[in-house]
Amino acid sequence: KLCQKCAQLERSTAVRGLLRTDRARAPTRFCAAQDQARDTYAAPMRRLLPWLALTCAQDAKPYYEVVFAVLTVPNHRPHRDAIRNGYGQPGGFRTKLWFVVSERDPGYEGAAFVEERSKRDDLLVCDTEPGFDHIIGKVSCAIRKAVQLYDFDFFFKTDDDATLCIAQLVKDLRAAPKGASVYAGRRVKAGRALEAGKPLEVNLGLTSDPPHFGGHGYGVSYDVARFVARPPAPLYHHLHEDTCFGNWVVGFDVKRLNLRAMTDHYYPNQKNLAGVSAERKRACARIMAQRYANGSAWDLYGSGCGFKQLPRSVPVEKCVRVASAAAAAAPRARPALASVPALPSQGLAVVMTKGACAVDVPCVAGPDLRAGLRRTSAKHVVVVFGGNVAPCLSSLRKELEMRSGPLYAGAAPSRNVPLPASLEERTKLGVAPEHFDGVAVLSAELASYVASQATPPLLAGDGPAALGVW
């Protein structure tokens, strides 16, 4: 239903003239001009009104237990149809199924896909870069759209060559601890050493992969999805989307769940090279070598390496139309977002985790970093873990006046520093990410994030290494 504003707009003379086509009028020159204007703008206005209704009625979002986002490309119609007629057909569960494409994907403007888009309402179109190296863009786009459009318990990403048993998957997710922030999938991976020169090593100072779920899918609870949709600063995008997603949540106290529904007992369609000829394997090896050389040459969808296969059929009575499906638990709680403080008027503030305040700017002293940040409000916050920052403040203030946007900075980054035992136990990173010892500078949005982030909660910790993980 349209909200009051949108209803008024729909009833207005201008919009009524554009949308209604059933009024009989004399064929005058004036009416002909109106008809031409109406025909010109009718289609755009029809597309606009649902958006206006959604904007005005944010409290009326449809509810789903799980929103499924299936990454695909236009020329994979057989894969989409296999899912529509298989595990993705309507059942008793309150789920939403999307097929996610990029408007820049090859074949997007093709006649077959244009026709499919006109007849189907399960395609989500994103404005992202095409190709395998950029599929994390489709994931983040789908999450943003899900948070914008729906109320849901879980968001789940999968691929168009994967097979899911949705019934068991939903039951597994229902069993997740109530009130916990959840990150779930097939057998969590952690601790794999990164070769020198890899993007995560060069850009973030990591020496091993963050804990993540690979295979053919992973999911998160609503609060984690909401963070990804509305982060305090742009998230780092990496060409391996499953590793990248694990990196996005590595600083949070999330419950990582190995889902029973993702095991071999529930009809998964694993990506593999079984049945691929030796010649094609050699061709695939060459493509992989190109990919490692320049990071953008390999498109998995068109490589012919044998990874892509049609989803398998699943037993309908076990995975789709299940008698107990409607007996859903109550929707999970939606913790409120932390309030965002007003734009600070102060240019600079200092938080001293050691020692006393002896500076000529607003200053807070105390060992608890997050508590100190909650007591400050400035465009940039200088966090002092050790040393004397007073002599540098004048020149630092001048330099920061020329900077804008999210900032985490310091004099010189530290790498290959062992993590405190409590953080290592939860992150399995081996060493701390790149961070700043002694003195670190945070812009207002990052200072507010560290100070007030409540759900998903930040990992317990303190000090410069913890700040780097967060």
Side-chain angles (χ1 to χ4, degrees):
K1 293 182 180 180
L2 295 175
C3 67
Q4 186 177 3
K5 269 186 184 177
C6 299
Q8 291 171 351
L9 176 60
E10 188 189 31
R11 290 194 299 267
S12 70
T13 303
V15 175
R16 188 168 62 245
L18 291 175
L19 292 182
R20 292 188 178 179
T21 58
D22 55 352
R23 287 186 293 172
R25 293 177 298 188
T28 64
R29 184 180 303 174
F30 174 73
C31 289
Q34 281 192 324
D35 287 341
Q36 184 177 4
R38 182 190 63 213
D39 294 340
T40 301
Y41 296 107
M45 190 58 71
R46 287 193 189 99
R47 290 196 297 268
L48 177 63
L49 283 174
W51 177 84
L52 289 172
L54 180 67
T55 302
C56 295
Q58 288 297 316
D59 58 343
K61 293 180 180 179
Y63 165 73
Y64 298 103
E65 279 196 83
V66 187
V67 175
F68 289 92
V70 183
L71 306 192
T72 185
V73 288
N75 64 357
H76 279 192
R77 177 70 181 266
H79 294 74
R80 292 189 290 278
D81 285 344
I83 293 172
R84 288 165 178 149
N85 300 323
Y87 78 77
Q89 62 185 295
F93 295 96
R94 300 184 71 175
T95 58
K96 174 69 177 179
L97 182 69
W98 268 338
F99 293 101
V100 186
V101 300
S102 168
E103 62 184 22
R104 308 183 204 179
D105 281 337
Y108 178 79
E109 298 293 347
F113 191 64
V114 170
E115 181 184 12
E116 184 182 357
R117 296 203 315 271
S118 69
K119 294 180 178 180
R120 294 285 185 175
D121 62 357
D122 57 2
L123 289 161
L124 175 64
V125 178
C126 295
D127 181 14
T128 62
E129 292 292 331
F132 175 76
D133 289 355
H134 303 286
I135 59 176
I136 189 61
K138 289 183 177 179
V139 177
S140 56
C141 168
I143 289 180
R144 285 194 305 273
K145 290 294 185 182
V147 170
Q148 176 189 355
L149 299 177
Y150 304 126
D151 184 22
F152 57 91
D153 288 339
F154 294 94
F155 174 92
F156 201 91
K157 171 266 168 186
T158 188
D159 299 322
D160 69 2
D161 63 342
T163 305
L164 301 180
C165 182
I166 283 183
Q168 185 59 46
L169 195 149
V170 172
K171 291 176 182 177
D172 288 354
L173 292 173
R174 285 180 184 175
K178 300 299 181 185
S181 300
V182 175
Y183 175 35
R186 174 187 171 90
R187 288 198 293 267
V188 65
K189 303 177 181 180
R192 184 179 64 179
L194 290 171
E195 298 175 19
K198 292 287 187 177
L200 288 177
E201 189 271 334
V202 172
N203 298 323
L204 304 181
L206 299 182
T207 60
S208 60
D209 275 342
H212 65 280
F213 290 99
H216 56 274
Y218 49 85
V220 291
S221 53
Y222 177 85
D223 60 329
V224 179
R226 182 175 60 185
F227 170 82
V228 172
R230 304 167 183 167
L235 296 173
Y236 175 78
H237 280 57
H238 176 54
L239 62 91
H240 295 295
E241 51 91 13
D242 50 0
T243 308
C244 183
F245 200 96
N247 189 58
W248 288 351
V249 301
V250 73
F252 292 126
D253 186 9
V254 294
K255 179 68 175 176
R256 294 181 177 89
L257 296 179
N258 294 316
L259 297 176
R260 184 183 180 196
M262 305 293 283
T263 64
D264 295 336
H265 300 292
Y266 287 93
Y267 324 104
N269 201 11
Q270 290 300 299
K271 299 175 183 178
N272 55 65
L273 290 171
V276 178
S277 67
E279 182 181 353
R280 288 183 68 186
K281 286 182 180 179
R282 287 192 293 271
C284 185
R286 290 194 293 270
I287 294 171
M288 291 290 284
Q290 287 178 328
R291 174 194 181 192
Y292 284 121
N294 61 28
S296 62
W298 185 38
D299 183 346
L300 183 63
Y301 298 121
S303 67
C305 291
F307 287 91
K308 285 288 171 183
Q309 48 197 332
L310 285 174
R312 295 174 181 171
S313 59
V314 295
V316 173
E317 70 281 1
K318 290 185 179 180
C319 293
V320 182
R321 300 191 186 98
V322 183
S324 62
R332 291 166 61 93
R334 301 284 184 273
L337 282 170
S339 60
V340 179
L343 187 67
S345 57
Q346 294 285 345
L348 197 64
V350 173
V351 172
M352 303 284 299
T353 62
K354 293 181 181 178
C357 289
V359 293
D360 60 354
V361 298
C363 179
V364 173
D368 189 327
L369 169 59
R370 298 188 69 193
L373 289 172
R374 282 191 285 269
R375 295 165 57 195
T376 62
S377 178
K379 295 177 181 177
H380 292 96
V381 180
V382 181
V383 180
V384 182
F385 297 107
N388 181 14
V389 74
C392 310
L393 284 182
S394 178
S395 58
L396 181 60
R397 183 187 289 108
K398 291 179 181 178
E399 182 175 352
L400 292 174
E401 285 173 353
M402 298 183 292
R403 295 184 177 271
S404 61
L407 181 69
Y408 171 45
S414 296
R415 291 188 170 215
N416 297 315
V417 176
L419 275 170
S422 60
L423 284 174
E424 171 58 23
E425 181 183 358
R426 297 304 306 277
T427 65
K428 309 297 184 187
L429 291 176
V431 299
E434 183 175 279
H435 61 281
F436 299 96
D437 287 319
V439 176
V441 178
L442 297 175
S443 57
E445 55 268 67
L446 293 185
S448 175
Y449 155 67
V450 173
S452 60
Q453 179 66 27
T455 176
L458 295 178
L459 287 171
D462 219 334
L467 185 58
V469 171
W470 297 335

